[in-house]
Amino acid sequence: MSLYDNEYTKDIVCPHCGYAWSDGWELGMSDGEDERIDCRRCEKPMNVECQVSVTYSTKKIEGAE
Ligand SMILES: [Zn+2]
C-alpha cells in the first residue's frame, strides 16, 4: 500500500513521492515486463510493472460505401 494512486495508472507514479512520469512510454516497456528505475524527483528506486491494454477505434471511410 502507498499514499499515492500508483497502481494501474496511465502514468508511472512514484510510490515514494507521487511524481507522475507523463512520458513513461519512453522506457519502451512492453506488457508484463518489469523494470527497476530511480525516480526523477526523489531519486529513490522503485519497481515498475507494465500493463498494456489494447483498445480499438473504428471510423467510416469517406467514399468507400
Ligand atoms: Zn519519487
Side-chain angles (χ1 to χ4, degrees), residues 14-19 21 38-44 46:
C14 174
H16 304 289
C17 71
Y19 177 81
W21 303 50
D38 293 332
C39 178
R40 278 180 198 155
R41 187 162 80 178
C42 70
E43 297 179 345
K44 288 181 185 162
M46 66 180 121

Side-chain angles (χ1 to χ4, degrees), residues 12 21 23-30 33 35 37 40 48:
I12 293 170
W21 303 50
D23 55 356
W25 53 270
E26 282 188 351
L27 294 173
M29 295 177 68
S30 48
E33 212 179 340
E35 198 167 315
I37 61 170
R40 278 180 198 155
V48 185

